[in-house]
Amino acid sequence: LTTARRIAQAVNAFLREQRHIAVFKLPERLLLLDALPRNPVGKLLKRDLRERAARLATPAAPPHPA
């Protein structure tokens, strides 16, 4: 297993063990990043995070037959 997959499994296991978190509130998937996108001032670029998540959630279009 890759390090990222091990981290995701550990986070999921931890969250499942928490009795005060409802099952429907658990994340379906985790997106692990090396660093959060920030602007030159240091503010978090939430728009960039949403765009990355949307790209990963959208399946790639099948190639068009030629």
Side-chain angles (χ1 to χ4, degrees):
L1 292 174
T2 65
T3 302
R5 187 171 299 271
R6 282 190 207 131
I7 292 170
Q9 287 176 344
V11 169
N12 280 328
F14 173 78
L15 292 173
R16 280 192 303 271
E17 291 172 1
Q18 304 305 305
R19 300 291 180 218
H20 61 277
I21 300 176
V23 173
F24 69 90
K25 291 184 178 181
L26 295 175
E28 292 180 11
R29 66 191 124 175
L30 298 172
L31 175 60
L32 301 177
L33 303 172
D34 291 329
L36 293 173
R38 297 189 179 270
N39 69 12
V41 176
K43 290 185 175 183
L44 185 63
L45 296 174
K46 294 180 217 170
R47 182 181 302 138
D48 287 0
L49 287 174
R50 285 190 289 269
E51 288 172 358
R52 284 186 193 188
R55 279 196 308 267
L56 292 173
T58 306
H64 294 289

